[in-house]
Every structure is written in C-alpha cells, then in structure tokens.
C-alpha cells in the first residue's frame, strides 16, 4: 500500500514569503509537517513562482502576482514534497524569465514538476514518482489563463478548456503514463472559478470521463474553498481541495482559511480509503484544526460529499471516505 498526501493551493509569495524568510522554511507548514512525513508521497499545487528575477506580468490586466524567494525551495524540501503541479494561473506572474529560473531551481533541487514547461511537449508530459510498490503517474492541466498556454517552442502551462474536445489529450497522457509503467495515475487540475463550494455539472461529467479513461485519483484545486469528495467507480474525485497555505483575506461565510489534508491509500488492486484531516490557516501558516473549527470543517465536508452521493465516515476525530 502507498499513502499519497494531496493538498490544495500552496502559495509561498507575498506575506508568506516574508514569514518564511523571517521564521525559517518550516514555518508555513506548522504541525502538518509531521503528517506529511508519515506519507509515502506528497503532491501539491504550487500557486506562485519561485525566483528572484522577472517583473510583474503586464501584457494584460492581472490583479495578483505571487513570487517566492529561492529559499522557498528549502521549504519544499523540508516538507518532502515529491512533485509540484505548475499548471495554474500564477507560475508566470513574473513572466518567462522568472518561470524558467524556477524550472532550473526545481531541477537543481531534484523536485519534479508537472503541468508546465519550456514547451508544450514538456508541459504535457506525465511525471512518474517511484515507490516500493510501483510508480505513481501524475498528469496535470489548467483551464485558467489561456494566454499562458505552452507552444511547440515557447514556455507555458498545459492549458485545456473543460470541454469534450480536451478529453482525448488527457486520455493520451493517462495512457502514456501507463505505458511508462505507472501503477496508479493521478490527474491534477487547476480549474474553475474562485469561491465556489460545489462543482458545476459539466465538471462532474468531465471528471467522471477521466476516471473512465483510466485515472485512479482526480485532484482538483483553484476555488480557494474545498468542495465535496465523490467516489465514482471506486475511485476518489477531489473536485477542489481548497487552500493549503496562503495570506489571503478571509471570507467570513465561505471560510477560505479552512482546508483539508487528503491522504489517499493506493492499494494493489484498488483505492482503499481517503483520510481527511481538517486544517486551519492563520498568520501565513497551516495547522491541524481543533475544537469547533474541526467540527465545522467536518460537518461541511460531510454535507458537500453527501450531495455527491458519498458518505464521509467519522469516529472520534477521524474522518475518512471508503472507496
């Protein structure tokens, strides 16, 4: 059995960057660091560029620009991050110069990345993460910032609209990961608008189609708030994992400072269960939620998942979904 930790967006720029430089690279992860280290693999969406170069993107209007100092690489290493998803709407916030430096820094730190690259071929390529039980393949795409789509000879993200015409591309990538030896395949998607608690029907149909195409886990993010978990054909669909670390203003109703750490058990012939650990973000740091906050997160997750036809089990302070 392989345990895979999945999170929402990891944003290490702005105030988080300042805290990281002031208090040390372990600071943003709080007491979640111990949970990370208990897993076999850790996959996160890196919602910023890591670089000390570039200038804020200005070719069209963009409200937010996120950049972390290269010392943030040490934070990723301390958290034992095995792969970062770069298919999102912030990796080119400081234009191509900073983006290309980040790719070099990640390679130098031996941290694989997926969903973006120096050209379209690299942006589309699956990544295989080795484990003692066999490789886990990761495929990633985003429907954000179509202007950042990688070209045959230009850097960028693996952009795809959430539409039927995109499915053959992703099916090909899933097949490519299998052909390269992947025992399990995760599809990671930075998709949809912000601050939505529920996936729209066409997103559900799209995720279902990817499970039917051979994906074992769907890992969604982008909404800033977590959405429900659905088990479809015995495979978990995490429509949106919400936030993991950030410095964002908090909506008092939607509570984008609430999150979850998802630990997926990849068994030999099936997905066993998904452990759900409620999280709370405060002062640029994530920690395991406790007390009334834990209860509120658990209740929301149970409600949202029940709407998708999936029960969330609870025993004491344990939450899980059986696949």
């Amino acid at each position: 059995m392989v345990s895979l930790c999945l999170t929402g967006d990891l944003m290490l720029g702005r105030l988080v960057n300042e805290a990281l430089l002031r208090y040390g690279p372990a600071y943003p992860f709080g007491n979640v660091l111990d949970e990370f280290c208990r897993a076999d693999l850790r996959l996160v969406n890196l919602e910023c560029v890591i670089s000390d170069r570039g200038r804020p993107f200005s070719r069209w209007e963009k409200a937010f620009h996120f950049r972390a100092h290269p010392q943030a690489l040490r934070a990723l290493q301390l958290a034992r991050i095995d792969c970062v998803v770069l298919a999102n709407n912030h990796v080119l916030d400081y234009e191509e110069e900073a983006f290309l430096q980040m790719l070099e820094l990640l390679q130098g730190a031996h941290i694989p990345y997926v969903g973006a690259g120096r050209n379209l071929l690299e942006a589309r390529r699956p990544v295989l993460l080795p484990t003692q039980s066999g490789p886990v393949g990761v495929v990633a795409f985003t429907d954000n910032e179509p202007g950042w789509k990688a070209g045959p000879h230009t850097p960028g993200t693996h952009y795809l609209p959430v539409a039927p015409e995109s499915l053959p591309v992703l099916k090909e990538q899933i097949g490519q990961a299998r052909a390269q030896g992947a025992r399990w395949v995760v599809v990671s998607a930075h998709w949809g608008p912000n601050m939505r608690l529920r996936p729209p029907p066409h997103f559900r149909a799209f995720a279902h189609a990817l499970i039917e195409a051979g994906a074992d886990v769907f890992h969604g993010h982008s909404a800033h708030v977590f959405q429900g978990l659905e088990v479809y054909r015995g495979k978990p669909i995490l429509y949106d994992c919400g936030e993991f670390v950030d410095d964002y203003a908090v909506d008092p109703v939607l509570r984008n400072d609430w999150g979850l750490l998802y630990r997926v058990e990849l068994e030999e012939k099936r997905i066993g269960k998904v452990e759900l650990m409620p999280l709370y973000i405060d002062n640029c740091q994530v920690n395991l939620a406790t007390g009334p906050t834990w209860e509120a997160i658990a209740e929301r997750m149970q409600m949202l998942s029940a709407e998708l036809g999936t029960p969330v089990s609870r025993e004491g302070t344990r939450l899980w979904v059986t696949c």
Side-chain angles (χ1 to χ4, degrees):
M1 192 269 286
V2 173
S3 59
L4 167 66
C5 269
L6 300 171
T7 78
D9 297 337
L10 174 61
M11 200 291 286
L12 297 175
R14 295 196 314 190
L15 297 179
V16 183
N17 183 60
E18 293 179 16
L20 187 154
L21 295 176
R22 178 178 299 177
Y23 302 118
Y27 176 83
F29 301 109
N31 62 14
V32 181
L33 207 57
D34 292 337
E35 293 298 335
F36 259 10
C37 292
R38 291 189 183 100
D40 297 309
L41 289 177
R42 292 142 288 267
L43 175 67
V44 301
N45 173 59
L46 184 61
E47 185 86 334
C48 64
V49 64
I50 297 177
S51 175
D52 56 9
R53 300 178 189 168
R55 60 183 181 180
F57 187 88
S58 60
R59 273 171 270 171
W60 54 81
E61 185 177 354
K62 198 170 191 300
F64 302 107
H65 301 84
F66 301 149
R67 179 175 61 177
H69 189 275
Q71 287 188 33
L73 286 168
R74 183 58 184 149
L76 298 179
Q77 291 172 322
L78 281 176
R80 297 175 60 189
I81 302 299
D82 294 281
C83 182
V84 291
V85 174
L86 300 183
N88 61 57
N89 58 318
H90 286 289
V91 292
L92 280 153
D93 274 355
Y94 282 77
E95 301 197 344
E96 285 86 351
E97 181 183 15
F99 173 69
L100 293 172
Q101 183 194 20
M102 176 173 63
L103 300 188
E104 294 176 0
L105 290 170
L106 289 169
Q107 287 180 320
H110 306 290
I111 300 174
Y113 56 86
V114 66
R118 297 172 181 84
N119 51 53
L120 183 59
L121 184 63
E122 184 177 7
R124 284 186 173 181
R125 65 173 171 78
V127 167
L128 265 64
L129 308 176
T131 77
Q132 291 185 345
S133 299
V136 175
V138 183
V139 171
F141 75 97
T142 180
D143 72 341
N144 291 193
E145 293 291 359
W148 286 3
K149 180 180 179 178
H153 307 290
T154 55
T157 62
H158 183 208
Y159 168 83
L160 287 172
V162 181
E165 59 266 26
S166 299
L167 288 171
V169 176
L170 292 166
K171 289 178 181 179
E172 181 180 351
Q173 289 180 279
I174 293 169
Q176 186 180 348
R178 294 286 187 196
Q180 292 173 0
R183 191 163 188 176
W184 304 275
V185 177
V186 178
V187 175
S188 189
H190 198 71
W191 63 343
N194 295 340
M195 310 308 278
R196 299 291 191 273
L197 287 176
R198 295 166 176 85
H202 71 289
F203 274 38
R204 291 189 66 189
F206 196 87
H208 289 179
L210 291 174
I211 297 296
E212 292 166 6
D216 295 293
V217 180
F218 185 90
H219 172 224
H221 33 87
S222 179
H224 299 312
V225 290
F226 64 85
Q227 298 176 353
L229 188 159
E230 179 182 12
V231 175
Y232 178 71
R233 295 192 174 187
K235 307 295 176 64
I237 299 175
L238 287 54
Y239 283 102
D240 205 294
C241 295
E243 292 301 302
F244 182 53
V245 175
D246 64 42
D247 65 353
Y248 304 157
V250 177
D251 186 293
V253 176
L254 294 176
R255 297 305 302 257
N256 49 299
D257 56 344
W258 294 353
L260 290 142
L261 182 66
Y262 303 78
R263 185 162 57 209
V264 184
E265 295 183 357
L266 306 174
E267 298 182 356
E268 183 176 357
K269 295 183 179 180
R270 60 188 291 269
I271 308 297
K273 65 176 181 290
V274 183
E275 294 273 358
L276 308 171
M277 287 165 271
L279 306 174
Y280 177 61
I281 306 166
D282 184 44
N283 198 25
C284 302
Q285 184 183 70
V286 63
N287 282 285
L288 297 169
T290 58
T293 300
W294 190 100
E295 293 286 348
I297 294 170
E299 288 176 9
R300 178 181 287 183
M301 191 59 173
Q302 286 179 308
M303 175 192 71
L304 294 174
S305 298
E307 292 176 4
L308 300 171
T310 298
V312 176
S313 301
R314 173 178 175 176
E315 183 177 312
T317 57
R318 282 187 60 231
L319 284 179
W320 72 93
V321 169
T322 301
C323 297

